[in-house]
Amino acid sequence: MVRTLLRSALREIRQSMGRYLAILAIVGLGVGFFAGLRACQPSMMATGVNYLDKQRLYDFRLLSSLGFTEEDTAAFAALEGVEAARGAVYADFLTDLGEGNEAVVRAHSLTEDMNLPALSAGRMPEEPYECLGDAKYFSEDMLGRTLTVAGDNSEDTRELLRCEGYTIVGLAWSPAYLNFERGTSSVGGGSVAAYVYIPEEGFDFEVYHEIYLTMTDAGEAYSDAYNARRDEMKPAVEDMVDQRAEKRYDDIYAEAMEAITDAQQEITDGWEDYHREKADAENELDDAYRELTDGESDYEQGQRDYEQGRVDYAQGQRDLADGQQKVSDAQQELADAEQEVADGEKELADARQELDDGWAEYNQAKADADRELADARQKLEDGRRELDDAQKELRDAQQKLADAKDQLDRAPDELADARHELDSGWLDYNDGRADAEREFADAERELTDAELEVADAYETLKDLKRATTYALTREENTGYVCFDNDTSIVAAISVVFPVFFFLVAALVCMTTMTRMVDEQRTQIGVLKAMGYANSQIMSKYIFYSGSAALA
């Protein structure tokens, strides 16, 4: 009887193959969805874990409001359980995309062997002015385009970014950005549109903004072993961050106090130099003033001497005329003396002629003539000496007069030169005094400003707050957490979603089997009349539907 029912069931399958295949298809579809979704989550997780391991995503991201030094990086690298430590910098800046559109871009420094970007197009940056672009935001046709640092950026941002623009030479995916979120920013509209990676040489910085750490024996990402290792390391990392932040605060405070002390000493020395140089300058200016006033006195004396020289020259001309008159008079007297000598000699000759008249008279006449001749000759000699003296005085007077005339001729030019020198001297003096007063005023203002700056620096130093630190893990990375949530959602869907297909399959199967039973009521009645039990008849239909479901 069982074989008969089995043959009947097989015959029923052949006769209603479409209905049988429909049940088979709907059940197979539900099973396929269930199997596929159940396998999707482990595959996604394995792919993500391999990707993060290959790109060496950080395990800890350390932040401090006072920054980190190379010494801090070395200290974290030496911490037990830390595999590697890398310092990094970043900056959000506005860039002009053309047509008046601006976007906020976050620039990260490339770190060695950590947070490695996965290159999708182009090449890695080789120069400070080159960068890797966000493969999600930038397209390949933008390779070679320069992202300029817009002028709207703050001065601090422009100083931090060494170049005025960065050329996109490659596109890459970053393990730090596993989803579409790029973070928020205090620049522009408040949200980051894309990221870029720049060589460390493309930044101009003194301290690192953050430090990335990787752990030894970390295990696979998202695993319980990884989470346990992270939780084990976190207290030590947080303690180290606090210690380094405290040291950083102490170093900054000590350096600032030393700078303030040095600046105060420089200001004190500056005031001393100021007063000393000001006194020296005042002395030099006073000396110059005295020299100029002495020069003015000499100039006035020179003018008086010039006028007196003109008077003396006129007197010399008059004296020369008098000398010439004296020479003429002497010459006349000399001529008169010569005439007297000639007359005496003539009288002597006459006396000789009259010798015959008597020796007595002759001797008397001769004596008188000799005496008169001697007087005439003496007078002649005196006249000649007086003439020589007068001529010599006349020549001296002419020479002095010529010298005086020469001096008088030169005097106007010399006085003009002296006046020019004095005017230039007064101009230089006035300019020098004005320059000195201006320079000393500037120096005084600079010293006063420096004192104010030192006072402000001291007040700022008093307001210096201790560092705010953060020891972030992957759990604070939006992309990392979202990926874990996405895989969990897929796992939940793999449990819930196939149930609907199974329910639909069961509903289709029930509907099909109910219709089949209704259509075969006559056949069922015949089977019961032939002595088949209800369970035997039911097994036929269970075999029909069950074979379709289990196939």
Side-chain angles (χ1 to χ4, degrees), residues 187-206:
V187 177
S191 61
V192 178
Y195 60 80
V196 294
Y197 279 94
I198 299 172
E200 193 172 285
E201 296 77 15
F203 292 90
D204 186 5
F205 63 96
E206 295 180 356

Side-chain angles (χ1 to χ4, degrees), residues 173 312 452 465:
W173 300 98
D312 292 343
L452 293 176
K465 296 180 180 179

Side-chain angles (χ1 to χ4, degrees), residues 299 406-407 409-421:
Y299 176 76
D406 183 60
Q407 290 180 353
D409 291 339
R410 290 197 308 272
D413 292 337
E414 292 176 354
L415 287 172
D417 293 340
R419 180 74 265 170
H420 178 71
E421 289 180 3

Side-chain angles (χ1 to χ4, degrees), residues 170-345:
L171 303 178
W173 300 98
S174 171
Y177 297 91
L178 293 179
N179 68 338
F180 63 91
E181 290 288 345
R182 295 296 181 259
T184 59
S185 174
S186 59
V187 177
S191 61
V192 178
Y195 60 80
V196 294
Y197 279 94
I198 299 172
E200 193 172 285
E201 296 77 15
F203 292 90
D204 186 5
F205 63 96
E206 295 180 356
V207 294
Y208 291 117
H209 297 170
E210 55 192 356
I211 292 180
Y212 293 111
L213 305 180
T214 55
M215 303 182 297
T216 58
D217 304 323
E220 290 186 351
Y222 302 105
S223 66
D224 293 338
Y226 176 84
N227 294 335
R229 179 61 173 158
R230 178 199 64 210
D231 295 340
E232 178 186 359
M233 283 290 300
K234 190 169 184 179
V237 172
E238 290 176 338
D239 290 342
M240 178 66 78
V241 171
D242 293 338
Q243 293 174 15
R244 300 309 301 183
E246 190 68 20
K247 185 178 184 304
R248 175 70 178 153
Y249 174 84
D250 294 339
D251 291 343
I252 291 175
Y253 191 90
E255 290 175 2
M257 279 302 299
E258 182 179 0
I260 290 174
T261 303
D262 293 342
Q264 188 61 58
Q265 184 60 45
E266 288 181 2
I267 291 172
T268 302
D269 295 340
W271 278 116
E272 293 177 356
D273 295 339
Y274 167 79
H275 292 302
R276 184 176 61 256
E277 292 178 3
K278 185 175 182 181
D280 294 341
E282 290 290 346
N283 291 332
E284 291 179 1
L285 288 171
D286 291 341
D287 292 341
Y289 181 80
R290 283 192 296 273
E291 290 180 1
L292 287 170
T293 53
D294 292 343
E296 288 288 351
S297 299
D298 293 341
Y299 176 76
E300 292 174 359
Q301 183 62 44
Q303 283 185 318
R304 288 194 294 272
D305 292 343
Y306 172 69
E307 295 298 331
Q308 185 61 43
R310 293 179 63 183
V311 172
D312 292 343
Y313 178 74
Q315 183 62 43
Q317 285 182 320
R318 288 193 296 273
D319 291 343
L320 180 62
D322 293 342
Q324 289 175 338
Q325 182 63 42
K326 287 180 180 180
V327 170
S328 297
D329 294 343
Q331 288 175 339
Q332 182 62 42
E333 289 178 359
L334 183 61
D336 293 342
E338 288 176 346
Q339 183 64 42
E340 288 179 1
V341 170
D343 292 342
E345 290 177 347

Side-chain angles (χ1 to χ4, degrees), residues 33 75 79 140 159 161 167 215 235 283 295 341 363 367 382 384 399 405 470 510 519 549:
F33 265 98
L79 183 65
E140 291 190 23
E159 290 178 355
L161 297 170
T167 303
M215 303 182 297
N283 291 332
V341 170
N363 289 333
D382 293 341
R384 286 177 177 173
Q399 183 62 41
K405 187 175 185 306
Y470 301 93
M510 288 176 58
E519 291 175 352

Side-chain angles (χ1 to χ4, degrees), residues 32-46 481-499:
F33 265 98
F34 177 76
L37 291 174
R38 292 297 290 180
C40 184
Q41 190 271 344
S43 297
M44 284 180 63
M45 185 61 72
V481 174
C482 286
F483 182 78
D484 188 25
N485 291 338
D486 292 343
T487 57
S488 299
I489 291 172
V490 171
I493 290 175
S494 69
V495 174
V496 177
F497 198 74
V499 172

